[in-house]
Amino acid sequence: MFLTSSGQARSGLLWALRHVRRASGAPARDPRFAALEDSDLQFFDSVLGAGGVVTDPHSLQPFNEDWLGKYKGSTRVALKPKTTEQAAAILRHCNSRRLAVGGNTGLVGGSVPVYDEVVVSTVCMNKVLSFDTVSGTLTAQAGCILEALDSHVAGHGYCMPLDLGAKGSCQIGGNVSTNAGGLRLLRYGSLHGSVLGLEAVLPGGEVLDLLTTLRKDNTGYDLKQLFIGAEGTLGLVTAVAIQCPPRPLAVNVAYLAVPTFAAAQQVLVAAKRQLGEVLSAFEFLDKESLAITLRHLPGTKDPLPGCQAPIFLVVETSGSSAAHDSDKLERFLEGVMEEGLVSDGVLAQDSAQVQQVWQLREGITTALRHRGAVYKYDVSLPISQMYALVEEMRTRLTTALPHLAGSSGGAGSGGGGGGDGSDDDGPPIRVAGYGHLGDVPGYSKEICEQIEPYVYEWTAQHRGSVSAEHGLGLMKAGCIGYSKPPAAVAVMRQIKAALDPHGIMNPYKVLPPEL
């Protein structure tokens, strides 16, 4: 079962198994950290002024609970700086007092305090600092909403290089801190390539100004990369310079039904070869995801009513010539249908239909949350193995928990009551095949024990990553060894110790506790 291609790979996995910490657990509060006092609140008031210090319990609730409702903290204060100088003063004070500091981004328990950490929110740092209409480089404060930035650059003929279902609420600083991928990573790559520079406040209050907009700068270590995906554990990102690509003039979206996941892989190969430079997105969802979304997300429509295919694809092209792109897409679709790789499909005829298709794909996570508790794992695997994990988990949960998992049956069918108590919503546990696992009315230790660490072991055995784009947070901090060898984790600890010697920045996250 274990990786045996080399002794190093096997030892790394065994190290991970010995040090795994499950999602349901959390390390004890670090005794090095001080407790918040009234004098601290007075200092924060003096720096931030009216509205900058939140202490009302009701107002703090969004900061103390993550979007999935899985993690809850107990912070007594959330701070809202408007400038980098204010943020620096906050961190300088917290570092001197040994007050732990948390952020507010992510879906793996990285976004909420574990205990009583001081939450620093960049929501008020929401100004566009500059935009170069010739080069397409955008510089903005970290609290700017992704959708607002996309609207801003759209007026100049550009678009943001990432697109997320949460674009109407997520902040660019959080996107950078978690290295968010999004729906168009296939076209524009990750933020490690799109981010040209950033500004970050280190734990001691020093401002690290790396806010360059140059594409070429080979002077020493590329320090900005340390903060992309670090989840706020090394410092607070306060501003970002990002390369924006030209906005496509022509967008086409096809929604396709395929008979197997193997066929979906062949369609992807054909799309890359035949659509080439205009291919901007290639997403898949299975019938479970479709059924749950149609039932639990108001306003969604089935693009192929009555189709019983097990797998569906969303293929998008974006280019500069509508006629050229449409011709390439039509020839591609004719080819894959003639080969029997696609059993049915529909091509969006206007922007409204394009939006309907994307609403269906982007709404899956929200629909799962409406149905019940979501066990979300966001793993990255070789494409050939991606859906095998879904099938493995269905078999495993049905065997171990037949009273909850039962038989999924067809789309929208199955034995047992649904998560909402209705008979036609399938069994309480359903494994949705777009990377998100199962839902029931509440989180259960019994279910979690059947999923973890099995899902991480399986991912490691197939040379995947336990986190594709959501980061490690609290949930997966103890599981980093499944994807990184001990030597790499040791180097990460050294970097953390060098930049944050007192460990105040987003503690208990990303790195496993030292034993």
Side-chain angles (χ1 to χ4, degrees):
M1 289 180 65
F2 299 114
L3 293 173
T4 56
S5 58
S6 71
Q8 182 179 8
R10 181 180 174 87
S11 65
L13 178 58
L14 294 178
W15 176 85
L17 292 173
R18 289 196 299 268
H19 292 78
V20 68
R21 171 165 50 80
R22 296 181 177 179
S24 57
R29 187 184 187 280
D30 194 325
R32 294 179 300 167
F33 300 141
L36 188 72
E37 297 179 357
D38 289 342
S39 58
D40 298 312
L41 296 177
Q42 293 170 5
F43 174 81
F44 296 145
D45 273 323
S46 70
V47 172
L48 301 178
V53 181
V54 180
T55 56
D56 173 65
H58 178 74
S59 300
L60 286 174
Q61 185 176 353
F63 298 101
N64 274 320
E65 184 172 347
D66 74 328
W67 182 79
L68 292 175
K70 188 174 183 179
Y71 297 95
K72 293 180 173 62
S74 55
T75 187
R76 290 180 51 203
V77 63
L79 307 177
K80 299 180 178 181
K82 295 180 179 179
T83 66
T84 300
E85 292 72 24
Q86 289 180 340
I90 290 170
L91 292 191
R92 190 178 303 113
H93 176 82
C94 289
N95 193 55
S96 66
R97 282 271 293 116
R98 307 296 189 267
L99 293 171
V101 177
N104 215 232
T105 286
L107 290 174
V108 286
S111 62
V112 294
V114 179
Y115 295 105
D116 55 352
E117 296 92 282
V118 173
V119 170
V120 179
S121 170
T122 58
V123 65
C124 292
M125 301 182 70
N126 54 13
K127 295 180 180 178
V128 173
L129 302 178
S130 67
F131 182 71
D132 188 321
T133 58
V134 175
S135 66
T137 53
L138 170 75
T139 304
Q141 287 185 306
C144 289
I145 300 297
L146 177 59
E147 189 171 46
L149 291 179
D150 190 61
S151 297
H152 181 86
V153 300
H156 302 283
Y158 291 86
C159 67
M160 294 297 288
L162 73 161
D163 188 9
L164 309 172
K167 56 181 171 286
S169 59
C170 65
Q171 300 172 13
I172 190 63
N175 298 150
V176 170
S177 294
T178 57
N179 190 27
L183 301 170
R184 294 183 178 87
L185 183 133
L186 177 67
R187 176 68 172 268
Y188 301 121
S190 79
L191 290 175
H192 278 294
S194 299
V195 173
L196 302 176
L198 56 77
E199 177 187 77
V201 180
L202 300 180
E206 304 92 343
V207 177
L208 192 61
D209 185 356
L210 304 171
L211 208 54
T212 179
T213 58
L214 300 176
R215 293 296 300 271
K216 294 183 178 181
D217 182 5
N218 198 24
T219 50
Y221 304 124
D222 191 2
L223 295 179
K224 70 174 183 292
Q225 300 294 348
L226 289 176
F227 298 90
I228 302 174
E231 302 181 51
T233 59
L234 301 179
L236 176 66
V237 174
T238 50
V240 176
I242 193 165
Q243 181 67 53
C244 298
R247 200 169 197 86
L249 299 178
V251 176
N252 295 290
V253 172
Y255 182 84
L256 311 176
V258 296
T260 64
F261 190 72
Q265 296 174 60
Q266 295 178 61
V267 174
L268 173 60
V269 173
K272 287 182 175 180
R273 288 176 177 171
Q274 298 177 37
L275 299 178
E277 76 286 352
V278 299
L279 180 63
S280 54
F282 193 99
E283 299 283 315
F284 93 93
L285 60 151
D286 68 1
K287 63 182 180 181
E288 292 288 337
S289 302
L290 174 64
I292 292 171
T293 305
L294 292 174
R295 179 171 180 80
H296 292 280
L297 193 65
T300 52
K301 296 180 180 180
D302 190 346
L304 295 172
C307 182
Q308 295 299 312
I311 302 291
F312 299 90
L313 305 175
V314 178
V315 181
E316 181 190 77
T317 64
S318 302
S320 58
S321 171
H324 171 267
D325 296 355
S326 295
D327 181 62
K328 293 190 73 169
L329 184 59
E330 287 176 8
R331 284 189 280 112
F332 157 73
L333 292 175
E334 288 175 1
V336 292
M337 294 191 80
E338 287 177 359
E339 293 180 33
L341 299 176
V342 172
S343 57
D344 201 355
V346 61
L347 186 63
Q349 298 300 307
D350 53 38
S351 59
Q353 290 185 8
V354 168
Q355 186 176 0
Q356 287 177 1
V357 173
W358 278 119
Q359 181 187 16
L360 181 65
R361 169 59 187 90
E362 293 177 344
I364 295 174
T365 300
T366 301
L368 291 173
R369 183 68 186 94
H370 287 172
R371 188 178 190 267
V374 181
Y375 295 81
K376 185 179 177 72
Y377 287 89
D378 178 48
V379 296
S380 178
L381 287 161
I383 294 176
S384 61
Q385 299 296 328
M386 190 177 297
Y387 201 69
L389 176 57
V390 177
E391 296 170 329
E392 288 266 0
M393 289 307 304
R394 283 185 181 142
T395 300
R396 179 178 175 84
L397 292 174
T398 300
T399 301
L401 304 170
H403 58 296
L404 291 175
S407 175
S408 294
S413 66
D420 60 358
S422 57
D423 293 335
D424 58 350
D425 195 27
I429 298 176
R430 299 178 74 170
V431 181
Y434 83 118
H436 305 269
L437 302 180
D439 356 34
V440 291
Y443 291 102
S444 162
K445 181 180 179 181
E446 179 185 24
I447 296 171
C448 190
E449 288 178 346
Q450 292 299 324
I451 300 174
E452 301 177 30
Y454 178 83
V455 69
Y456 302 131
E457 295 171 355
W458 198 98
T459 299
Q461 291 159 21
H462 293 83
R463 306 193 72 82
S465 168
V466 298
S467 178
E469 60 177 282
H470 293 161
L472 295 167
L474 173 66
M475 176 181 174
K476 300 179 183 179
C479 304
I480 190 173
Y482 285 107
S483 299
K484 293 292 188 292
V489 177
V491 171
M492 293 181 196
R493 289 195 191 279
Q494 293 170 10
I495 294 172
K496 169 74 170 175
L499 296 182
D500 184 18
H502 300 303
I504 68 165
M505 299 301 295
N506 216 10
Y508 322 110
K509 317 291 175 59
V510 180
L511 294 175
E514 295 189 77
L515 302 179

